[in-house]
Amino acid sequence: MGSTNIRDIASLPMTLVIFTCEGREHLLYNTFNSFKASCNYSFFKTVLAIDGKINPGVIDHIQPDVVIQSPVRKGYVNNILQALAQIDTHYFFWLEDDWKFHTKIDLSSITERLIAHPNWVEIIYNKNGPLTADEKKTHLEDNLYQTPYGFSANPCICRTAFIKDGFSNLLSEPKGDKLGEDGFENSLSKYFKKQNLICVFHDPVDHTVISHEGYLESTPRNWHMTNSLDQKTEKHLLTITKPSLVRKLAMILKLTGTFLKLSFRQLVNDEIYEFCFRIIASAKTIKKDE
């Protein structure tokens, strides 16, 4: 491969793909504003992939070139497949709706590294700040390391062809709903490992580039499982140890005390008010899913 001029990289056609689902407009709005403030890359086009109904005002705010929407929720995996069909650039930036960017990101530099290594699938921004010693066991170059976790849908720049191949393989495999095995990220991780393809972590060294803001509104893992393409598992998939009745009863006391404190604090603290708003919005979303 010949040398690549950084000016050429800066004008390289790249697609921005934003994923969201119903009930998360407040997250999407904040994520988009945060990303645009931190990234000045001129994208070839922006694709907004929506799973379910959404307030059209958010679409007007983002002004994407392409909108993909399923009026009835069909799950994240289906949403991704629909979005991939709209990507005709060699690289794209994967952005979910619940992130906050704390510093400027240099996509031109990151893209240059991805182009230079034909067996790299993606370069991921780490949500926990500087990498740990275990995460830095396989050093590649500069502040880039092979991730021990496999494929990740955290904010990242992706090589389009590999991602499309990974999902084509997913479609041909048996589907399931076992956590840690049958999620789409698990499927892609196993496929890339067999193909000797590498997923890469970016180490921010001494600061935090991004933080995950959507823990409160996290969508059920059922929507991330490969079998959601056929029929979503109705039983909720717990990501923690199943709680006993005693622990559930204790939770009532904890929630009562916590909500009482928040009710008074939100009167004088706008950040607490916004947090309370997110709790109410999340509760409404959960009620819809039941």
Side-chain angles (χ1 to χ4, degrees), residues 30-249:
N30 291 337
T31 294
F32 182 74
N33 288 347
S34 169
F35 179 71
K36 295 303 288 183
S38 298
C39 178
N40 61 3
Y41 197 95
S42 180
F43 291 97
F44 175 69
K45 68 178 177 181
T46 297
V47 176
L48 178 60
I50 308 165
D51 187 25
K53 296 180 177 63
I54 197 170
N55 186 328
V58 180
I59 301 176
D60 292 339
H61 178 68
I62 294 175
Q63 296 187 334
D65 300 289
V66 179
V67 176
I68 300 164
Q69 183 172 18
S70 172
V72 178
R73 288 191 70 181
K74 295 183 179 179
Y76 194 11
V77 183
N78 178 76
N79 201 19
I80 295 168
L81 287 169
Q82 298 301 313
L84 288 177
Q86 299 298 320
I87 303 173
D88 48 15
T89 54
H90 292 302
Y91 306 92
F92 72 95
F93 193 88
W94 188 311
L95 181 63
E96 295 173 329
D97 60 9
D98 54 1
W99 294 93
K100 183 175 182 179
F101 289 76
H102 300 284
T103 62
K104 296 289 184 180
I105 60 172
D106 183 3
L107 277 193
S108 296
S109 176
I110 290 293
T111 305
E112 184 179 21
R113 302 325 311 147
L114 192 62
I115 291 173
H117 298 277
N119 66 328
W120 288 11
V121 175
E122 60 174 347
I123 299 179
I124 314 155
Y125 285 101
N126 181 34
K127 64 184 176 183
N128 297 317
L131 300 182
T132 65
D134 286 340
E135 291 171 333
K136 295 195 292 185
K137 282 184 177 179
T138 307
H139 180 241
L140 299 172
E141 61 180 52
D142 299 329
N143 59 344
L144 300 175
Y145 299 80
Q146 182 172 353
T147 171
Y149 309 120
F151 177 80
S152 171
N154 287 182
C156 58
I157 179 172
C158 302
R159 194 182 300 269
T160 306
F162 288 162
I163 303 299
K164 287 186 176 182
D165 288 346
F167 275 94
S168 293
N169 178 73
L170 182 154
L171 289 172
S172 68
E173 290 187 327
K175 311 298 185 293
D177 63 359
K178 188 173 181 180
L179 287 168
E181 291 188 15
D182 296 321
F184 74 87
E185 288 175 306
N186 304 122
S187 174
L188 265 62
S189 295
K190 288 181 281 189
Y191 173 75
F192 294 143
K193 185 176 181 180
K194 288 180 181 177
Q195 301 297 318
N196 293 316
L197 300 175
I198 297 174
C199 296
V200 181
F201 246 163
H202 169 264
D203 181 19
V205 183
D206 59 359
H207 60 283
T208 300
V209 176
I210 58 172
S211 59
H212 188 213
E213 302 293 296
Y215 288 111
L216 183 63
E217 299 90 344
S218 180
T219 54
R221 294 302 92 184
N222 308 48
W223 291 120
H224 293 238
M225 298 297 110
T226 55
N227 73 334
S228 66
L229 288 170
D230 302 320
Q231 184 175 1
K232 185 192 75 165
T233 300
E234 293 303 320
K235 182 180 178 181
H236 180 74
L237 299 178
L238 270 171
T239 57
I240 60 175
T241 304
K242 186 174 178 60
S244 64
L245 178 59
V246 173
R247 288 178 62 192
K248 288 185 176 182
L249 290 173

Side-chain angles (χ1 to χ4, degrees), residues 241-281:
T241 304
K242 186 174 178 60
S244 64
L245 178 59
V246 173
R247 288 178 62 192
K248 288 185 176 182
L249 290 173
M251 182 62 78
I252 293 176
L253 296 176
K254 292 178 181 178
L255 285 172
T256 301
T258 300
F259 287 154
L260 187 60
K261 291 177 183 177
L262 289 173
S263 296
F264 286 103
R265 291 183 65 192
Q266 60 90 21
L267 293 173
V268 296
N269 187 313
D270 289 342
E271 184 178 358
I272 298 299
Y273 174 84
E274 186 176 49
F275 180 68
C276 292
F277 170 83
R278 291 172 60 189
I279 292 175
I280 299 301

Side-chain angles (χ1 to χ4, degrees), residues 5-23:
N5 189 293
I6 194 67
R7 292 182 180 177
D8 296 333
I9 296 294
S11 61
L12 182 74
M14 189 190 308
T15 303
L16 170 61
V17 185
I18 306 172
F19 295 100
T20 192
C21 63
E22 62 184 35

